[in-house]
Each structure stands twice: as structure tokens, then as C-alpha cells.
Amino acid sequence: MRMRSFIFATSCGIAGVSALMLTAAHAQTPVQPTQPRVAQAPAPAKQKAAAPAAPAVVAPAATAPVAAPSTVASTKTSGEVVARVGNNDVGADDLRAYLATLGPREQAAVAQDPALLSQAVRMMLANRLVLQELNAKKWDQQPQVTAQLQKLRENALVELYLQSVSNPPANFPSDDDLQKVYEANRAAFQVPRQYQLSQIFIPMGKDADKATADAAKKKLDEVQKKLKAPGADFAAIARADSAAGESAERGGDLGLLPEDQIRPEIRAQITGLAKGGVSDPITLDDGYHVIRLVDTKVPYTRTLPEVREQLVRQIRTQRATALRQNYLAEMLKQQPPIINELALAKLLDDKARN
């Protein structure tokens, strides 16, 4: 069965700052605001007929899986052994060293979801098994592999060195700089009006045949009759009659949704509802939606303490980028490159002919 979501929820991180009011020594490229994603007509997703799912509210982007650690040269480990496959061990010291290389977000994700750490351990063991095999075959001693490894080493060294010379001071930005950036970009930290909604969903594709359409309309009439009965319990009816998958199990609860990310057809209905009110049936491409307004949260601006960590990270990233660009520009200024454009053009022509 083909379903369509009516809402896309974006991540709740900082949208970005549009200007940085810093001194000339701190000049940086402005961070561009991230535009919200509004689902006007999301693409249909195929669902199994036996388990239809209502239009899904797409939650904030999940934290990406922890990147697998690089291949290690030795299967020996120190400290307590955490995992083992064949002659390959992963020790507590290995994991501590690995976790130390992760950024704050990744470390927080691992702390909240131990499965990510287990995934990293499995990848470390897999890498060591592969390394064991390629060493046995002396695969890394092949000329073409040696050349590629040398190139990778050079690129890694350059990147690490550039990171070291472009790392902002530990005390950057100052509290004063941070306050100025926050004040200059308050609009970027505004949270729009939010609606806590529940729904009852009755599926009916826009290309449904008459029998399917009649069955859906009959189901809708039954639901409306239940809702109009004295003492009607919307949550109980949603659990019994909604085809909205997970939200049906929660009594139709969709959570708190930003106003600008709700489909216009639905937004037009809920803006006129009183708290606890239920909308008339709303017909969308995937079927009928009956919406209940549970609560409304007024717009507000996130405070500096709320956004401080993310804002510092953005400013430091910008500063590091500016320092790197300035460093490279100064090197090229001191030792200007000379390029034989004719030879370069000839090389491209030869490649095109071949």
C-alpha cells in the first residue's frame, strides 16, 4: 500500500548564524542558516499490504553510526580483553584510545546507545582479521599498493599538520564574542509555534477503486460516530481504529510539531481548534486524517545557555577554516607556484585522445 507522510521534522540543532560580529582578527565566513524542510508533497513509500502504516512523522536525523576505527597494525593488546576473534583481541585501552578520538556528539551518542560501541568493537575485530590475511599474503608489498599507501600517508600528514596550525586558541571565542554573535543572530534561534497533535488515520490511495473507497468512507463514518458519542475517548478510538502504525499504539499521539513543518491542509484545520478539539476529516493523497489538538506551545527564542555549546562549535569551525585558508594563502604568497599552462593543456589533450 502506498503511503505519504504529511510532516517532515528537521533536526533541532542551531539553524546557523548569519553574521559574526567579531573583531578584524576574528573575521570569519558567516554561517548560512539551514532552511527548514517543509513536506508539501512527499514521495510515496511502499508498505506491505498486511501492515499499512500511517503517514509517518520523520523524527530529527538520528546520530550517524560511529565511524569504524582505522586498521591497526598489531593484534596484541594491553589491559583487560573486551573482545576476541581468533588471535585478535580488543582491549579496554584500545577502546579508550578510540573513544578519545571521537567528537562530543559521537561520545554522547555512544554513552546513550551502547550498541554503537559494540558496533565499533566488531569493526575493529573485522579490520584486524583483514589485516592478518593481507599480511600473510604480503599484499601490502605490491608496487601499486605501496604507491597508494605512500600517497595516503602524505595526504594524512598534510591534513593533520593543517589541523594543528589552524586550531583556534583554547579560550576562543571569548564570552564577549559569544554574546555578540548570539545577539546579532537571535532570529536564527527562534523556535516557531508548536502543536501537540494526535490523529486517527484511515488509508485510501488517490487511485483506489470504488470498493476500496467505499470501505474507507464507511470506516470513516464509524469513527466519526464514535467520536461524537458522549464521553468519547479519542486515544482509545485511535488505538482501535487508526491505521497509523506506531502512533496508533500511542493513542494517536504525534508529539510536538513545529507549525512551519505541518502540511498546509492540516495546519489550516488545527489553527482554528480549541485545546482538545477534533478536526473534521482531512482528505490527503493517502487517505483520511482526523486530528485532535492536544496542546499549543507559543513561539520562543532559545537562550544563550541553551545554544552555547553548538554555537561555540560553529564559531570555532569557522575560525579554523579561516586560519587554514590564511595559512595556505601566505605560503603561496611567499613561494608563488609557476604552472606551465601549455604543458598542462597538452596533457589534457593527450588524455582526451587516449
Coordinates of all heavy atoms in Angstrom, one line a residue, residues 74-112:
S74 N 48.8 -4.3 14.8 CA 49.1 -5.4 15.7 C 47.8 -6.0 16.3 O 46.9 -5.3 16.6 CB 50.0 -5.0 16.8 OG 50.2 -6.1 17.7
T75 N 47.8 -7.3 16.5 CA 46.7 -8.0 17.1 C 46.9 -8.0 18.6 O 46.0 -8.5 19.3 CB 46.5 -9.4 16.5 OG1 47.6 -10.2 16.8 CG2 46.2 -9.3 15.0
K76 N 48.0 -7.6 19.1 CA 48.3 -7.7 20.5 C 47.6 -6.5 21.2 O 47.5 -5.4 20.6 CB 49.8 -7.6 20.8 CG 50.5 -8.8 20.2 CD 50.1 -10.1 20.7 CE 50.9 -11.3 20.2 NZ 50.4 -12.6 20.7
T77 N 47.2 -6.6 22.4 CA 46.5 -5.5 23.1 C 47.0 -5.6 24.6 O 47.5 -6.6 25.1 CB 45.0 -5.6 23.0 OG1 44.4 -4.5 23.6 CG2 44.5 -6.9 23.8
S78 N 46.8 -4.4 25.2 CA 47.2 -4.3 26.6 C 45.9 -4.1 27.4 O 44.9 -3.6 26.9 CB 48.2 -3.2 26.8 OG 47.6 -1.9 26.4
G79 N 46.0 -4.4 28.7 CA 44.8 -4.2 29.6 C 43.8 -5.3 29.4 O 44.1 -6.4 28.8
E80 N 42.7 -5.2 30.0 CA 41.6 -6.2 30.0 C 41.1 -6.4 28.6 O 40.8 -5.5 27.8 CB 40.5 -5.8 30.9 CG 39.3 -6.8 31.0 CD 38.2 -6.3 31.8 OE1 38.3 -5.1 32.3 OE2 37.2 -7.0 32.0
V81 N 41.0 -7.7 28.2 CA 40.4 -8.0 26.9 C 38.9 -7.9 26.9 O 38.2 -8.5 27.7 CB 40.8 -9.4 26.5 CG1 40.2 -9.8 25.2 CG2 42.4 -9.5 26.3
V82 N 38.4 -7.0 26.0 CA 37.0 -6.8 25.9 C 36.3 -7.7 24.9 O 35.2 -8.2 25.0 CB 36.7 -5.3 25.5 CG1 35.2 -5.1 25.3 CG2 37.3 -4.4 26.5
A83 N 37.1 -8.0 23.8 CA 36.5 -8.9 22.7 C 37.7 -9.6 22.0 O 38.8 -9.1 22.0 CB 35.7 -8.1 21.7
R84 N 37.3 -10.8 21.4 CA 38.4 -11.5 20.8 C 37.7 -12.3 19.6 O 36.6 -12.8 19.7 CB 39.0 -12.5 21.8 CG 40.0 -13.5 21.2 CD 40.6 -14.4 22.2 NE 41.4 -13.6 23.2 CZ 41.6 -14.0 24.4 NH1 41.1 -15.1 24.9 NH2 42.4 -13.2 25.2
V85 N 38.5 -12.4 18.5 CA 38.1 -13.3 17.4 C 39.4 -13.9 16.9 O 40.3 -13.2 16.5 CB 37.3 -12.6 16.3 CG1 38.1 -11.4 15.7 CG2 36.9 -13.6 15.2
G86 N 39.5 -15.2 16.9 CA 40.8 -15.9 16.6 C 41.9 -15.4 17.5 O 41.8 -15.5 18.7
N87 N 43.0 -15.0 16.9 CA 44.1 -14.4 17.7 C 44.0 -12.9 17.9 O 45.0 -12.3 18.3 CB 45.4 -14.9 17.1 CG 45.6 -16.4 17.0 OD1 45.2 -17.0 18.0 ND2 46.2 -16.9 16.0
N88 N 42.9 -12.3 17.5 CA 42.8 -10.9 17.5 C 42.0 -10.4 18.8 O 40.9 -10.9 19.0 CB 42.1 -10.4 16.3 CG 42.9 -10.7 15.0 OD1 43.8 -10.0 14.7 ND2 42.5 -11.8 14.4
D89 N 42.6 -9.5 19.5 CA 42.0 -9.0 20.7 C 41.7 -7.5 20.6 O 42.4 -6.8 20.0 CB 42.9 -9.3 22.0 CG 43.1 -10.8 22.2 OD1 42.3 -11.6 21.8 OD2 44.1 -11.1 22.9
V90 N 40.7 -7.1 21.3 CA 40.4 -5.7 21.5 C 40.4 -5.5 23.0 O 39.6 -6.1 23.7 CB 39.1 -5.2 20.9 CG1 38.8 -3.8 21.3 CG2 39.1 -5.3 19.4
G91 N 41.3 -4.6 23.5 CA 41.4 -4.4 25.0 C 40.7 -3.1 25.4 O 40.3 -2.3 24.5
A92 N 40.6 -2.9 26.7 CA 40.0 -1.7 27.2 C 40.8 -0.5 26.8 O 40.2 0.6 26.5 CB 39.9 -1.8 28.7
D93 N 42.1 -0.6 26.8 CA 42.9 0.5 26.4 C 42.7 0.9 24.9 O 42.7 2.1 24.6 CB 44.4 0.2 26.6 CG 44.8 0.0 28.1 OD1 44.0 0.5 28.9 OD2 45.9 -0.5 28.3
D94 N 42.5 -0.1 24.1 CA 42.2 0.2 22.7 C 40.9 1.0 22.6 O 40.8 2.0 21.8 CB 42.0 -1.1 21.9 CG 43.3 -1.9 21.8 OD1 44.3 -1.3 21.8 OD2 43.2 -3.2 21.9
L95 N 39.9 0.6 23.3 CA 38.6 1.3 23.3 C 38.7 2.7 23.8 O 38.1 3.7 23.3 CB 37.5 0.5 24.0 CG 37.0 -0.7 23.2 CD1 35.9 -1.4 24.1 CD2 36.4 -0.3 21.9
R96 N 39.5 2.9 24.9 CA 39.6 4.2 25.5 C 40.3 5.1 24.5 O 39.9 6.3 24.3 CB 40.5 4.1 26.8 CG 39.7 3.5 27.9 CD 40.5 3.6 29.2 NE 39.9 2.8 30.3 CZ 40.4 1.6 30.6 NH1 41.5 1.1 30.0 NH2 39.8 0.9 31.6
A97 N 41.3 4.6 23.8 CA 42.0 5.4 22.8 C 41.1 5.8 21.6 O 41.1 6.9 21.1 CB 43.2 4.7 22.3
Y98 N 40.3 4.8 21.3 CA 39.3 5.1 20.2 C 38.3 6.1 20.6 O 38.0 7.1 19.8 CB 38.6 3.8 19.8 CG 37.4 3.9 18.9 CD1 37.6 4.5 17.6 CD2 36.2 3.6 19.3 CE1 36.5 4.6 16.8 CE2 35.1 3.8 18.5 CZ 35.3 4.3 17.2 OH 34.2 4.5 16.4
L99 N 37.7 6.0 21.8 CA 36.7 7.0 22.2 C 37.3 8.4 22.3 O 36.6 9.4 22.1 CB 36.1 6.5 23.6 CG 35.3 5.2 23.6 CD1 34.9 4.8 25.0 CD2 34.0 5.5 22.8
A100 N 38.6 8.4 22.7 CA 39.2 9.8 22.8 C 39.3 10.5 21.5 O 39.4 11.7 21.4 CB 40.6 9.6 23.4
T101 N 39.2 9.7 20.4 CA 39.3 10.4 19.0 C 37.9 10.9 18.6 O 37.9 11.6 17.6 CB 39.8 9.4 18.0 OG1 38.8 8.3 17.8 CG2 41.1 8.8 18.4
L102 N 36.9 10.5 19.3 CA 35.5 11.0 18.8 C 35.2 12.4 19.3 O 35.7 12.8 20.3 CB 34.5 10.0 19.4 CG 34.6 8.5 19.0 CD1 33.5 7.7 19.7 CD2 34.6 8.3 17.5
G103 N 34.3 13.0 18.5 CA 33.9 14.4 18.9 C 32.8 14.3 20.0 O 32.4 13.2 20.4
P104 N 32.5 15.4 20.6 CA 31.5 15.4 21.7 C 30.2 14.7 21.4 O 29.6 14.0 22.2 CB 31.3 16.9 22.0 CG 32.6 17.6 21.5 CD 33.0 16.8 20.3
R105 N 29.7 15.0 20.1 CA 28.4 14.4 19.7 C 28.5 12.9 19.7 O 27.6 12.2 20.2 CB 28.0 14.9 18.4 CG 27.4 16.4 18.4 CD 26.9 16.7 17.0 NE 26.3 18.1 17.0 CZ 25.7 18.6 16.0 NH1 25.7 17.9 14.8 NH2 25.2 19.8 16.0
E106 N 29.6 12.4 19.1 CA 29.7 10.9 18.9 C 29.9 10.3 20.3 O 29.3 9.2 20.6 CB 30.9 10.6 18.1 CG 30.7 10.9 16.6 CD 30.9 12.4 16.3 OE1 31.3 13.2 17.2 OE2 30.5 12.8 15.2
Q107 N 30.6 10.9 21.2 CA 30.8 10.4 22.5 C 29.5 10.3 23.3 O 29.2 9.4 24.0 CB 31.8 11.2 23.3 CG 33.3 11.1 22.8 CD 34.3 11.8 23.7 OE1 34.0 12.2 24.8 NE2 35.5 11.9 23.2
A108 N 28.7 11.4 23.1 CA 27.3 11.4 23.8 C 26.5 10.3 23.2 O 25.7 9.6 23.9 CB 26.7 12.8 23.6
A109 N 26.6 10.1 21.9 CA 25.8 9.0 21.2 C 26.1 7.7 21.7 O 25.3 6.8 22.0 CB 25.9 9.1 19.7
V110 N 27.4 7.4 21.9 CA 27.9 6.1 22.4 C 27.4 5.9 23.8 O 27.0 4.8 24.2 CB 29.4 6.0 22.3 CG1 29.9 4.8 23.1 CG2 29.9 5.9 20.9
A111 N 27.5 7.0 24.6 CA 27.0 6.9 26.0 C 25.6 6.6 26.1 O 25.1 5.8 27.0 CB 27.3 8.2 26.8
Q112 N 24.8 7.1 25.2 CA 23.3 6.8 25.2 C 22.9 5.5 24.6 O 21.9 4.9 24.9 CB 22.6 8.0 24.5 CG 22.7 9.3 25.2 CD 22.1 10.4 24.4 OE1 21.5 10.2 23.4 NE2 22.3 11.7 24.9

